[in-house]
Amino acid sequence: MFHPRRTLRALLLPLAAGLALTALPAQTAQAASTLTNGGFESDGAGSATPGGWSEYGDTGASFSESGGHAGSYRLSHWASTAYKVETYQYLSGLTNGSYKLTAWVRSGGGQKSAYIALKNCGGTEQRTDLPVSASGWIRIVVPVKVTNNQCTISINSDANAGNWINVDDLTFTSGTTGLTVKGSDISSLPKSEAKGGVYRTSSGSTGDAVTILKNAGMNYARLKVWVNPADGYNNKTRVLALAKRVKAAGMKLLVDFHYSDSWADPGKQNKPAAWAGHSYSQLKTDVYNHTYDVLNALKAQGTTADMVQVGNEINGGMLWNEGSTSNWSQLAGLLNSGYDAVKTVNSSTTVALHLAEGGDLDGTRWWFDSAVSSGVKFDAIGLSYYGYWHGPLSDFQTTLDDAASRYGKPVFVAETSYPFRLDSDDSLINQIDTTGELVSGYPATVAGQTAWMNTVANIVEAVPNGRGLGVFYWEATWTAVTGNGWDPADASSGNGWENQALFGYDDKALSSMSWFSHR
């Protein structure tokens, strides 16, 4: 039973019911230099004010109850009427420096706001919103710099009747967190512009999409490379040109090799036409030469790749059938051929391997266990995670954390996205176009898109030991432009993804770009 049940004691209407949070809570007399009762175990169920904690606002909406994350009990916020409540703990006598709060949380969603904050610590207040996860627990982190020897840990709900959160197993330790990569795939951009696509700032003035994204906080661009695509886009020449714009904007560059003339993904890994009749031995040379050629040309023009994906969503391998996962020794040879080419051009470029199905723990383990035992070389792990296809957020966190610890590598989200509306801006039906396809708690609105991206970013930020690199959005600039459809061989094909771009149907930058400014 995931909906919190209140004890009789907690059902008593609080005297403060309905009062707004108008003042900062008073600092409690029992301030400690370490977090007290972070697991809410000291009082058992039904404690209106858990030991070590204070409450402010509609205090009857904050209480401990059975059903802990690790122990027997948890903190819950819930009331049958609208409520605002804060559960907080004041720490004093702290040594100044960097600290990190970790908490396990769940939420049924629907609140105006539900977050954990570190405040009154001397610098800027830091907040992490609770993800909407009604069943699985999710670990989140909040980092802060303490400069005045004190800090207040604050759990906040501004909620409608019946909204609830669970919080448990808080720790407050030295350390820091944040994301290195706040990126997006913008492979669609050159063709969009050539076909008349326009990009505007949020206020409506026409601008350069790369600059608009950079100004929102984007720091990394992902560009796919096809070998000889029918439309002449996403090939070496076009990638070289776009890479110049990316680097001129001060961003880093991820080059995503598909080793195909069109889309490569778990359902299709078709050889490029030029390599069609080649033997396995020749394919290894093809992979090396193509990878080297593109990357060396990028280096020669002063836009060296910072990261490279050897293959795209290669759950079933690549360059079928020779490079299928039914023949791991051959797949390993192809992957290592790509790795060697990357390192020959620039030894410090990060080589990533990219799978789809970011919530599939068993499948991800099987693949990387096989890769490791086959001697595949790699530096980082990228996972696609689309919440409407790849399972709940809690499964995604489990898979991401496991990959980081099991293989001792940094991990990142190579692709994620979310719709800001459901209707189409062209004649092609959208991939996600009904409310039933959405993730519960995340509506198809700009606010829902923003919340989704912050949730995914928060999960990556919480990967232990600093191994969560960051997130790439897919695909920020793919708006509905006639001629820029999904099929490079069909100029009349449409776009089923424009409702998941970061520019609206009026071509203006959406406020959901704010996720690029994640710490």
Side-chain angles (χ1 to χ4, degrees):
M1 175 83 67
F2 298 116
H3 186 87
R5 294 286 175 194
R6 308 198 58 201
T7 63
L8 185 60
R9 179 177 174 188
L11 281 169
L12 296 172
L13 280 175
L15 293 173
L19 292 182
L21 300 184
T22 50
L24 281 174
Q27 294 179 348
T28 66
Q30 315 95 306
S33 59
T34 54
L35 180 61
T36 303
N37 193 22
F40 303 97
E41 297 295 309
S42 65
D43 311 289
S47 171
T49 308
W53 294 87
S54 304
E55 294 171 340
Y56 183 74
D58 299 327
T59 57
S62 169
F63 50 92
S64 64
E65 63 178 349
S66 296
H69 165 255
S72 301
Y73 306 103
R74 67 193 182 205
L75 175 75
S76 292
H77 285 179
W78 178 88
S80 59
T81 54
Y83 63 94
K84 289 185 184 181
V85 71
E86 175 186 29
T87 310
Y88 67 96
Q89 188 168 149
Y90 166 60
L91 304 180
S92 64
L94 296 172
T95 305
N96 288 338
S98 296
Y99 289 86
K100 167 176 83 169
L101 180 79
T102 303
W104 287 90
V105 301
R106 298 192 299 199
S107 171
Q111 299 91 346
K112 295 177 190 130
S113 64
Y115 62 89
I116 299 182
L118 296 175
K119 62 185 190 179
N120 309 328
C121 312
T124 310
E125 176 178 327
Q126 295 292 322
R127 292 184 178 183
T128 300
D129 291 329
L130 268 62
V132 181
S133 178
S135 52
W137 289 91
I138 300 206
R139 187 184 58 254
I140 60 173
V141 292
V142 193
V144 78
K145 268 208 162 57
V146 172
T147 58
N148 60 355
N149 305 111
Q150 64 184 30
C151 196
T152 300
I153 297 165
S154 172
I155 303 163
N156 278 267
S157 292
D158 181 353
N160 301 299
N163 294 162
W164 62 271
I165 65 169
N166 301 150
V167 178
D168 205 358
D169 295 333
L170 290 91
T171 58
F172 186 73
T173 56
S174 295
T176 190
T177 65
L179 297 181
T180 307
V181 174
K182 291 163 279 196
S184 176
D185 196 305
I186 54 169
S187 301
S188 63
L189 183 58
K191 189 174 180 180
S192 172
E193 291 171 331
K195 301 293 180 184
V198 173
Y199 298 88
R200 303 182 190 280
T201 63
S202 56
S203 58
S205 47
T206 306
D208 172 59
V210 176
T211 304
I212 293 168
L213 290 161
K214 165 69 178 178
N215 290 342
M218 176 171 149
N219 66 6
Y220 225 118
R222 178 181 187 252
L223 306 180
K224 69 172 172 276
V225 187
W226 289 336
V227 177
N228 189 22
D231 61 359
Y233 286 88
N234 300 297
N235 62 5
K236 175 185 167 185
T237 304
R238 305 281 187 179
V239 167
L240 285 167
L242 186 50
K244 282 186 177 176
R245 293 169 63 185
V246 165
K247 290 281 189 167
M251 295 188 201
K252 291 189 170 181
L253 175 65
L254 165 56
V255 178
D256 171 18
F257 285 95
H258 282 230
Y259 301 112
S260 183
D261 292 334
S262 187
W263 304 98
D265 55 47
K268 52 188 176 303
Q269 292 284 340
N270 301 321
K271 288 197 221 36
W275 307 356
H278 291 186
S279 66
Y280 167 66
S281 171
Q282 179 63 44
L283 288 171
K284 279 200 294 186
T285 305
D286 292 333
V287 167
Y288 185 94
N289 289 346
H290 170 63
T291 307
Y292 181 91
D293 178 49
V294 173
L295 296 178
N296 198 50
L298 283 165
K299 180 181 177 181
Q301 69 170 15
T303 61
T304 301
D306 300 282
M307 194 186 318
V308 168
Q309 279 179 224
V310 176
N312 187 78
E313 295 191 330
I314 51 176
N315 300 58
M318 64 185 197
L319 294 166
W320 288 347
N321 288 317
E322 285 80 358
S324 156
T325 48
S326 59
N327 190 333
W328 262 102
S329 64
Q330 290 195 171
L331 175 56
L334 294 168
L335 293 171
N336 283 339
S337 198
Y339 179 95
D340 292 343
V342 176
K343 296 297 185 177
T344 301
V345 173
N346 182 46
S347 61
S348 62
T349 296
T350 299
V351 177
L353 297 179
H354 170 211
L355 301 187
E357 309 287 346
D360 180 8
L361 175 66
D362 291 343
T364 303
R365 270 189 179 180
W366 172 82
W367 200 96
F368 278 99
D369 282 358
S370 302
V372 168
S373 64
S374 303
V376 176
K377 296 176 282 191
F378 63 100
D379 305 320
I381 292 171
L383 298 177
S384 295
Y385 177 63
Y386 296 103
Y388 32 77
W389 293 327
H390 296 158
L393 289 160
S394 51
D395 286 357
F396 163 56
Q397 181 167 70
T398 299
T399 305
L400 197 66
D401 289 353
D402 183 77
S405 63
R406 191 174 179 90
Y407 309 106
K409 303 287 186 184
V411 294
F412 64 98
V413 176
E415 298 179 20
T416 190
S417 68
Y418 209 75
F420 61 90
R421 59 196 289 174
L422 293 172
D423 59 318
S424 292
D425 196 27
D426 66 7
S427 58
L428 184 65
I429 194 165
N430 289 331
Q431 292 264 357
I432 303 298
D433 68 331
T434 66
T435 53
E437 292 171 304
L438 299 173
V439 179
S440 178
Y442 295 89
T445 60
V446 176
Q449 185 182 50
T450 309
W452 176 260
M453 288 311 299
N454 283 324
T455 289
V456 172
N458 289 337
I459 287 175
V460 178
E461 185 188 14
V463 173
N465 301 309
R467 288 198 177 114
L469 276 184
V471 181
F472 288 93
Y473 192 84
W474 203 91
E475 219 260 22
T477 56
W478 200 13
T479 53
V481 174
T482 304
N484 192 23
W486 68 272
D487 186 353
D490 179 3
S492 68
S493 64
N495 176 4
W497 209 263
E498 73 272 13
N499 65 326
Q500 301 193 60
L502 293 180
F503 292 86
Y505 290 3
D506 58 2
D507 301 321
K508 291 182 186 175
L510 297 173
S511 59
S512 42
M513 280 187 196
S514 63
W515 89 264
F516 286 122
S517 297
H518 194 281
R519 57 180 170 254

